[in-house]
């Protein structure tokens, strides 16, 4: 692995009782770039994410992060290394305010961070940084709004803020625009672009307009294997990709 690549997989395989969900996938995620993982439903995208973040152990293969073999590490250890993941559904605390959600992310980086019985006053020193993060995602005016009352797009923006609170070097975004209207999609797309200025992003995304706007490199999966890889222009003109992903009929 060279210094240009922050994350690399080598012949990554995941089998479930004989079913091959991921079949010898080789990824190279270039540092400081946005890399998209796309493909039809059931292509193995989320399974790859689950192996990268250690929710699933690979059946075979190797995962390297910053030159270090992380294949058998635990999820918490992966997070401490700087790999932080968001999920397809909004993963925030619905009955806390936006500020309190971000503050929990900041608290997680402290020693003895999960002593949730600590008084609210003892955590006030985190508020300034929490407000900075909320402002960065356009939510400063919603700091004291209970999260369940936020519109869906704002909840996803809040999730990105809480992810940023953990100061990730590599962000894994799983369907960040899923279920959004076009206006919210545009807001989150712009936000991801801003966030990517200071870190590396690997994302699973179905919206090809978002992918074409954001991704420097695209890896296309089909039936658990890599079908194609390249820029949007390269993969969108690949006939195999059009057949597998866009429903185009073979000649």
């Amino acid at each position: 692995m060279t210094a240009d690549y922050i994350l690399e997989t080598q012949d990554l395989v995941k089998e479930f009782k004989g079913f091959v969900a991921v079949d010898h996938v080789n990824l190279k995620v270039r540092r400081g770039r946005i890399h998209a993982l796309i493909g039809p439903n059931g292509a193995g995208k989320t399974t790859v994410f689950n192996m990268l973040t250690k929710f699933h152990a690979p059946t075979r293969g190797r995962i390297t992060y910053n030159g270090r073999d992380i294949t058998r590490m635990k999820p918490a250890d992966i997070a401490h290394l700087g790999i932080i993941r968001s999920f397809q559904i909004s993963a925030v605390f619905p009955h806390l305010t936006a500020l309190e959600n971000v503050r929990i992310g900041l608290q997680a980086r402290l020693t003895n961070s999960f002593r949730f019985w600590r008084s609210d006053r003892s955590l006030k020193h985190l508020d300034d940084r929490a407000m900075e993060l909320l402002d960065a995602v356009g939510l400063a005016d919603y700091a004291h709004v209970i999260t369940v009352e936020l519109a869906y797009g704002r909840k996803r923006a809040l999730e990105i803020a809480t992810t940023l609170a953990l100061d990730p070097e590599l962000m894994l975004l799983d369907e960040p625009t899923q279920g959004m209207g076009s206006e919210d999609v545009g807001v989150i797309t712009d936000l991801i672009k801003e966030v990517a200025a200071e870190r590396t992003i690997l994302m699973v995304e179905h919206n090809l307009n978002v992918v074409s706007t954001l991704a420097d490199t695209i890896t296309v999966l089909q039936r658990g294997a890599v079908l194609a890889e390249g820029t949007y222009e390269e993969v969108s003109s690949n006939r195999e990709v059009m057949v597998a992903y866009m429903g185009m009929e073979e000649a």
Side-chain angles (χ1 to χ4, degrees):
M1 180 174 178
T2 69
D4 290 341
Y5 297 103
I6 190 171
L7 181 77
E8 184 175 349
T9 70
Q10 298 171 330
D11 292 327
L12 204 60
V13 175
K14 183 60 182 179
E15 298 175 354
F16 296 99
K17 296 182 179 179
F19 171 71
V20 180
V22 173
D23 187 7
H24 293 89
V25 166
N26 294 290
L27 288 177
K28 287 186 175 183
V29 179
R30 193 175 291 274
R31 191 180 307 277
R33 303 291 178 87
I34 300 177
H35 192 129
L37 196 59
I38 71 171
N41 290 332
K45 305 180 298 295
T46 297
T47 304
V48 169
F49 260 36
N50 284 337
M51 286 191 284
L52 295 178
T53 50
K54 319 318 299 173
F55 289 94
H56 288 154
T59 304
R60 291 185 296 279
R62 188 168 181 253
I63 305 169
T64 307
Y65 174 70
N66 278 330
R68 179 176 180 178
D69 190 334
I70 63 169
T71 310
R72 303 300 169 190
M73 292 183 70
K74 296 179 180 179
D77 296 327
I78 294 296
H80 284 304
L81 287 179
I83 303 175
I84 305 296
R85 173 186 180 177
S86 74
F87 291 84
Q88 289 182 9
I89 59 173
S90 182
V92 289
F93 294 98
H95 300 297
L96 297 180
T97 67
L99 179 69
E100 288 167 338
N101 266 284
V102 177
R103 202 166 63 186
I104 285 175
L106 294 169
Q107 186 184 351
R109 298 178 57 207
L110 303 177
T111 304
N112 300 322
S113 59
F114 292 106
R115 291 185 177 176
F116 289 113
W117 58 84
R118 292 174 66 180
S119 70
D120 184 71
R121 182 180 300 176
S122 71
L123 298 174
K124 286 293 185 182
H125 68 285
L126 299 175
D127 283 359
D128 287 347
R129 178 56 180 156
M131 285 300 301
E132 288 177 6
L133 291 168
L134 286 172
D135 186 55
V137 301
L139 292 179
D141 292 340
Y142 300 88
H144 301 292
V145 175
I146 301 298
T147 301
V148 73
E149 298 174 4
L150 294 175
Y152 182 71
R154 292 193 179 109
K155 288 179 184 175
R156 297 312 301 255
L158 177 58
E159 185 180 81
I160 291 176
T162 59
T163 302
L164 291 174
L166 296 168
D167 196 23
E169 184 178 12
L170 172 62
M171 291 179 67
L172 275 62
L173 303 181
D174 197 354
E175 299 282 6
T177 67
Q178 184 182 49
M180 290 184 182
S182 58
E183 183 176 342
D184 283 338
V185 167
V187 170
I188 296 300
T189 299
D190 290 342
L191 178 55
I192 292 171
K193 191 180 298 184
E194 290 179 21
V195 166
E198 298 180 0
R199 52 190 49 83
T200 306
I201 292 179
L202 176 62
M203 61 188 295
V204 168
E205 179 57 62
H206 271 104
N207 189 321
L208 292 182
N209 288 328
V210 172
V211 171
S212 66
T213 300
L214 291 176
D216 300 297
T217 303
I218 300 167
T219 300
V220 185
L221 293 185
Q222 182 189 26
R223 297 172 184 162
V226 175
L227 178 64
E229 186 171 278
T231 64
Y232 180 78
E233 290 73 20
E234 290 168 339
V235 300
S236 63
S237 61
N238 183 306
R239 186 167 186 82
E240 289 183 304
V241 173
M242 288 188 275
V243 170
Y245 192 77
M246 302 175 185
M248 179 177 176
E249 294 184 0
E250 294 185 86

